[in-house]
Amino acid sequence: MKTEDDNSKGDDSSGDASWLERNVNVVIAGLVIACIGSLVAQLLWAPLFAEKHGEASHVEASHDDGSHDETSHDEHAHDEVSHDGASHLHPAEFAVEEVFGFEAMFGFAAFVAVVFLGTGLRLIIMRDEDYYDS
Amino acid sequence: MIHNLPPGLIMVLGALLLPFLGQRLSAWGALVLSSLSLVAFWTTPDLHAVTLNLFGQDLNIVRIDRWSWIFGLVFHLAAITASIYALHVKDTKQHVAGMIYAGSAIAACCAGDLITLFVCWELTAVSSVFLIWANGTETAYRSGMRYLIIQVTSGVLLLSGAIIHYQQTGSLVFENFLGLEPGQRGAIGDLEFGPLLILIAFGIKGAFPLLHNWLQDSYPNGTATGTVFLSAFTTKLAIYSLARGFAGLEELIWIGCAMTLFPIVFAVIENDLRRVLAYSLNNQLGFMVVGIGIGTELALNGTAAHAFCHIIYKSLLFMSMGAVLHRVGTTKATELGGLHKSMPLTTVFCMIGGGAIAGFPLLSGFVSKSMIISAAGHEQMFSVWIILLIASAGVMEHSGIKIPFFAFFAHDSGKRVKEAPWNMLTAMAIASFCCIAIGVYYQPLYDMLPFETHYEPYTAAHVIMQFQLLLFAALAFVFLMKANLYPAEIRSTNLDTDWVYRRLLPRLIAHIGKLVRLIDSMFRVACLAMIKQFLNWLSKSCSAQGWLGSTWSTSSMAFWAAVLLGVFLILYYL
C-alpha cells in the first residue's frame, strides 16, 4: 500500500545501492498503475457512487435484481440514521462525490497546494537554526 | 478492594518504589507495574463508581463508564508498549516519571469530579516534565521550563474554573457543562464564566490554535523514549476531557478545522522529524476536536475511536523516530536518509505507522478517521467535510510520506548504523500489529465505543475514494520531486507562536526596561543638577562676600527689627 514511500531518488553513487534505489522507476510505475487502478475501480463501481443519502450497501443484494423500491429504501435508510446516528454504509453525502475522479483530483491538488503554501511560509517564518540561542 | 482505588494508582505509588530496584531492574519494574495496572483495570466492573468524602465534600474519585473505559484501556496499552520501548534505559528517574505520568493520566480519565481531575491534571504536568529534562541539555531544560509553566497554568485555570462553577451551581461533578445530550449543539455564549475557564484549560492541554506551541516546542526536546510517553497522554487526556465536558459545543468544529489545517503547512518545511510528528499530532487532535464539536453519536464515537487508534500509531511513529535518534543521534532530515539499508525493520514499522495515520484501508486510521468525516457528511457540513479532506491529504504529506521518506530513503546520508535494539523493535512490532489488527478486525474497537454503532467503514465506494485521495496525493509528491518543486530540507528554525514568549515578550520587556532606565537616569540627572545649583547658591550666599555671610550695618538691623515689630502689631490687631 505504501509504494509511494519508497520513491527514493536513486542517485546513490556509493556502490551499495539497495534494490529500491536501483529501481525507483519501477516503484513510480507501480504507483501510477495503482492510481489508474483506483480510477478504473470507480468506473466499475460507479453505481455505488450514484447512491444518495444513506442508501444501504447491505441492501445491495436486493438492489441488483433491478427491483427499485425507492420508498422502502429511503425509509430503511432513515430508520438506520436515526437509530444509531450513523449508518452501515458509505453514502454519497454531497453531489460532488459522484464526479468521476473527484477524490483523485482533490488529493493531488490539495497536496500540491499544501506544499506550495509551506514553501511560501518559509519566506516569512524561516530563521537560522540557532535563532533562539543567539 | 483494589477497584475502589483510582485506576493508575498502582503505577503512581509503585513508581516510588522503582529507585530501590536499581538502574537495571527499574525498567522491568515499570513494565510489571503497567501490566499489573492493566489487569486491575481490566477486571474492574462496568459502570464502577467510588465516592470519597473529603472535608465535607463528596468526591467521585473513580467513575468508570464507556468513555473512561476506552481511554483508560488505550492509556494502559500505551504505557506498556512505551515501557517495553524503554527497557534499555538505565536512568531510573525516567522510569519513575513515566509511570507517575501514565498512572495519573489514567486516574484523570477515570475521575468523576473536577477536583480529582485537577489533582491528576497537575500530576501529569509535573511528572512529565522530567522526561524532557532527562535529555540533559540546556535547550531541553529551557524547553521543559516553558512546558511546565504552560501546563501548570492550564491546571490553575482548571481549578479556578472548578471553584467558580462550584459557587454558581454547588456541584463539582464532571459532566457536559452545557447539559447537552449527544446530537444537540450549543454555543460558547451559553457557557458561564467557570466552564469557560475550564474550556481554556482544556484548550491549552489540547493544543488549540495559538495555544498549541508548547507541543512542538517540548516534544522534540524529550528523550528518545520519553517523547513516546509524552505523545500518548497529555493531549489525549485533553481530548477526553473536552468530549466529556463540551461535546456539542459548536465553536469546537471550527477550532478543530483550524487545528487540522495549519500544522500541515508547518510540517512541510520543518527539518526536525520529531517536530514534524508534533505538528502531525496537532493536526490529528483537530480531527478529534471536530468530532467533539459535531457532537452526534457517530461523531463522538469517531473521536473516541480516533483517539484510540491515534495513540497507537503516533506512539509507533515516535518510536521509529526515537530509534533513529538512539542510533544516529539526530532526527534532522538534513542529516538523515538511506537508513532503510541499515534499519530495515524500523523502516517497515515506520511505514506501517505512516500508512495508519494517513488512513490507508486495512490500517487503523481508516476505520476511525472515516467515522468523523462521515459524521460531518451526515450533518451536511460541506465546508467541514472539505477541510477534513484537505487535512487528510496533508496527513499523507507529512506523516505518510515525509517522515519515512526523509529518514529512511531520499539522499543516502552514508550513515550505516545498527538496527534498533530488540526491545525497541518489540514495542514497534506490537504497535504495528495493533495498527493492522484494528484496521482489519475493527469490531472489538467499535464494540468499546461510547455509543452503540453499526458503522461500516469498508464499503466499496469509501475504499475506492480513499485510495484515490491517498494515491494521487502520493503521485503529487512524485511529481513535485521530479519537477524539483518540493521544498528542500534546510537546517533552520521556523517561527511559531512560541516566538511571542521566546522573542517578542523578552524583547518588549528589555525595551521597557531600557525606557524605565532612561527616564530614571534623566530624572536623577535633573535632580542632581538642581541640588547642585542650590548648594552652589547656598555656599555663595554664606561666603564672606555673600549676602548672608557679609557684615550688615546697624541701621539696616534696626530697620528690619522695626518692620518685624510692625508686622507683629498688625497681626495682633487682626
Side-chain angles (χ1 to χ4, degrees):
Chain A
M1 281 311 88
K2 285 174 294 309
T3 46
E4 68 291 340
D5 293 340
D6 308 344
N7 303 319
S8 41
K9 283 194 103 175
D11 46 7
D12 182 11
S13 52
S14 62
D16 63 343
S18 66
W19 182 89
L20 280 171
E21 285 168 326
R22 279 180 273 113
N23 294 285
V24 184
N25 290 333
V26 175
V27 177
I28 295 177
L31 175 64
V32 172
I33 291 169
C35 286
I36 296 169
S38 70
L39 289 176
V40 172
Q42 188 179 2
L43 279 181
L44 294 177
W45 291 86
L48 291 186
F49 284 78
E51 287 173 15
K52 266 197 164 179
H53 301 294
E55 190 104 15
S57 66
H58 72 277
V59 292
E60 220 48 52
S62 65
H63 212 156
D64 286 342
D65 59 17
S67 65
H68 221 85
D69 189 352
E70 281 293 331
T71 29
S72 78
H73 273 300
D74 278 349
E75 273 170 17
H76 183 78
H78 276 277
D79 192 25
E80 288 294 337
V81 170
S82 59
H83 220 73
D84 45 48
S87 61
H88 309 182
L89 12 140
H90 178 82
E93 298 288 357
F94 305 109
V96 70
E97 282 181 85
E98 294 162 25
V99 176
F100 175 70
F102 164 72
E103 301 258 342
M105 288 182 286
F106 194 88
F108 193 95
F111 191 101
V112 172
V114 165
V115 169
F116 283 172
L117 267 178
T119 317
L121 192 65
R122 263 196 173 155
L123 299 174
I124 309 168
I125 63 162
M126 193 168 78
R127 297 288 183 279
D128 284 341
E129 196 172 32
D130 57 354
Y131 174 76
Y132 284 119
D133 303 326
S134 58
Chain B
M1 157 60 196
I2 188 96
H3 299 140
N4 291 337
L5 296 172
L9 198 68
I10 296 177
M11 288 156 88
V12 176
L13 296 180
L16 303 176
L17 300 175
L18 289 181
F20 299 107
L21 289 177
Q23 285 193 332
R24 269 196 91 74
L25 279 179
S26 59
W28 287 94
L31 178 58
V32 170
L33 279 178
S34 39
S35 309
L36 275 179
S37 181
L38 175 63
V39 172
F41 185 70
W42 189 264
T43 53
T44 308
D46 285 349
L47 301 175
H48 188 60
V50 179
T51 310
L52 181 77
N53 193 293
L54 208 66
F55 307 120
Q57 182 66 47
D58 278 334
L59 295 182
N60 192 194
I61 55 166
V62 182
R63 173 186 56 185
I64 299 180
D65 55 10
R66 290 176 78 95
W67 275 109
S68 314
W69 171 254
I70 189 167
F71 277 86
L73 182 66
V74 72
F75 280 173
H76 272 105
L77 294 179
I80 291 172
T81 32
S83 301
I84 295 173
Y85 185 76
L87 276 179
H88 66 281
V89 175
K90 301 231 165 26
D91 181 6
T92 309
K93 82 172 172 291
Q94 281 193 56
H95 298 300
V96 175
M99 281 301 104
I100 296 181
Y101 175 40
S104 49
I106 291 165
C109 70
C110 298
D113 69 90
L114 292 167
I115 297 300
T116 313
L117 179 71
F118 161 75
V119 172
C120 302
W121 194 266
E122 289 292 44
L123 203 54
T124 58
V126 175
S127 53
S128 56
V129 73
F130 287 95
L131 297 170
I132 301 167
W133 283 341
N135 220 343
T137 61
E138 175 71 14
T139 317
Y141 173 74
R142 286 171 173 275
S143 171
M145 218 50 187
R146 289 191 290 271
Y147 170 83
L148 189 60
I149 291 170
I150 293 170
Q151 296 297 315
V152 170
T153 308
S154 154
V156 171
L157 285 172
L158 172 59
L159 182 63
S160 317
I163 293 171
I164 296 171
H165 182 63
Y166 177 69
Q167 285 196 324
Q168 284 171 341
T169 62
S171 164
L172 280 172
V173 180
F174 182 28
E175 57 193 1
N176 195 306
F177 291 106
L178 289 158
L180 299 174
E181 295 293 324
Q184 297 176 326
R185 271 199 283 282
I188 213 161
D190 304 336
L191 283 176
E192 299 284 339
F193 185 57
L196 200 63
L197 286 182
I198 296 174
L199 178 65
I200 297 171
F202 292 173
I204 292 175
K205 235 179 173 79
F208 278 8
L210 302 182
L211 304 175
H212 67 279
N213 208 204
W214 60 268
L215 175 68
Q216 293 83 3
D217 179 16
S218 59
Y219 283 15
N221 284 316
T223 59
T225 53
T227 306
V228 177
F229 272 98
L230 288 170
S231 75
F233 303 109
T234 302
T235 47
K236 260 62 72 185
L237 176 55
I239 292 297
Y240 159 80
S241 308
L242 278 170
R244 176 77 82 181
F246 297 99
L249 183 65
E250 233 165 35
E251 282 76 6
L252 288 180
I253 299 175
W254 299 108
I255 292 174
C257 283
M259 273 168 91
T260 59
L261 286 183
F262 83 87
I264 54 181
V265 185
F266 279 81
V268 174
I269 52 174
E270 180 55 51
N271 188 33
D272 184 341
L273 293 183
R274 286 206 299 171
R275 188 160 284 131
V276 173
L277 284 180
Y279 277 115
S280 151
L281 204 169
N282 213 167
N283 147 282
Q284 293 293 300
L285 296 174
F287 280 93
M288 298 173 214
V289 173
V290 169
I292 296 168
I294 294 174
T296 57
E297 288 192 355
L298 177 64
L300 292 172
N301 272 343
T303 296
H306 203 47
F308 192 97
C309 299
H310 162 88
I311 287 177
I312 296 169
Y313 58 63
K314 186 52 78 177
S315 294
L316 175 56
L317 286 166
F318 269 112
M319 283 195 267
S320 65
M321 286 304 110
V324 169
L325 179 69
H326 181 67
R327 285 304 190 208
V328 184
T330 180
T331 51
K332 294 202 168 117
T334 42
E335 322 271 304
L336 299 175
L339 286 177
H340 72 282
K341 292 175 201 168
S342 42
M343 302 178 84
L345 290 173
T346 308
T347 308
V348 171
F349 293 140
C350 179
M351 282 165 59
I352 292 174
I357 194 173
F360 270 99
L362 299 182
L363 292 170
S364 60
F366 177 76
V367 301
S368 58
K369 198 195 310 181
S370 48
M371 281 181 123
I372 299 176
I373 299 180
S374 295
H378 275 296
E379 296 301 302
Q380 290 296 308
M381 298 173 172
F382 183 69
S383 43
V384 176
W385 183 78
I386 283 286
I387 287 172
L388 295 185
L389 279 193
I390 297 173
S392 300
V395 177
M396 183 62 190
E397 196 285 322
H398 58 65
S399 294
I401 294 178
K402 178 167 177 165
I403 295 284
F405 182 75
F406 285 103
F408 300 106
F409 303 101
H411 273 287
D412 192 345
S413 61
K415 290 190 168 74
R416 298 290 179 266
V417 292
K418 280 206 285 188
E419 178 58 278
W422 69 269
N423 61 306
M424 285 188 166
L425 290 176
T426 310
M428 286 191 274
I430 293 172
S432 303
F433 172 78
C434 290
C435 286
I436 299 170
I438 296 171
V440 176
Y441 184 49
Y442 51 85
Q443 204 52 49
L445 172 67
Y446 283 8
D447 288 343
M448 269 192 302
L449 296 177
F451 308 99
E452 204 185 326
T453 182
H454 302 289
Y455 183 75
E456 172 56 70
Y458 289 106
T459 62
H462 190 191
V463 171
I464 293 167
M465 282 165 69
Q466 185 73 359
F467 268 128
Q468 282 189 1
L469 184 80
L470 297 178
L471 291 174
F472 275 84
L475 195 65
F477 176 70
V478 174
F479 163 73
L480 290 171
M481 284 304 270
K482 288 281 174 197
N484 265 336
L485 287 171
Y486 195 86
E489 296 308 303
I490 302 175
R491 298 179 64 114
S492 61
T493 299
N494 294 317
L495 306 185
D496 200 337
T497 51
D498 61 344
W499 179 80
V500 173
Y501 51 83
R502 292 174 75 180
R503 256 303 147 91
L504 183 67
L505 280 183
R507 287 216 165 155
L508 213 61
I509 290 169
H511 281 304
I512 292 173
K514 248 187 217 166
L515 196 70
V516 169
R517 270 198 297 279
L518 191 72
I519 293 171
D520 176 69
S521 65
M522 276 163 58
F523 187 69
R524 277 161 197 265
V525 167
C527 281
L528 281 174
M530 273 165 64
I531 292 171
K532 208 170 166 187
Q533 233 170 2
F534 175 70
L535 287 176
N536 270 344
W537 172 81
L538 213 60
S539 69
K540 218 186 260 173
S541 312
C542 296
S543 68
Q545 289 80 32
W547 66 281
L548 274 172
S550 59
T551 330
W552 289 16
S553 65
T554 328
S555 57
S556 67
M557 190 204 73
F559 168 74
W560 284 113
V563 170
L564 208 64
L565 283 172
V567 170
F568 178 74
L569 205 64
I570 291 163
L571 285 178
Y572 184 78
Y573 277 111
L574 281 175

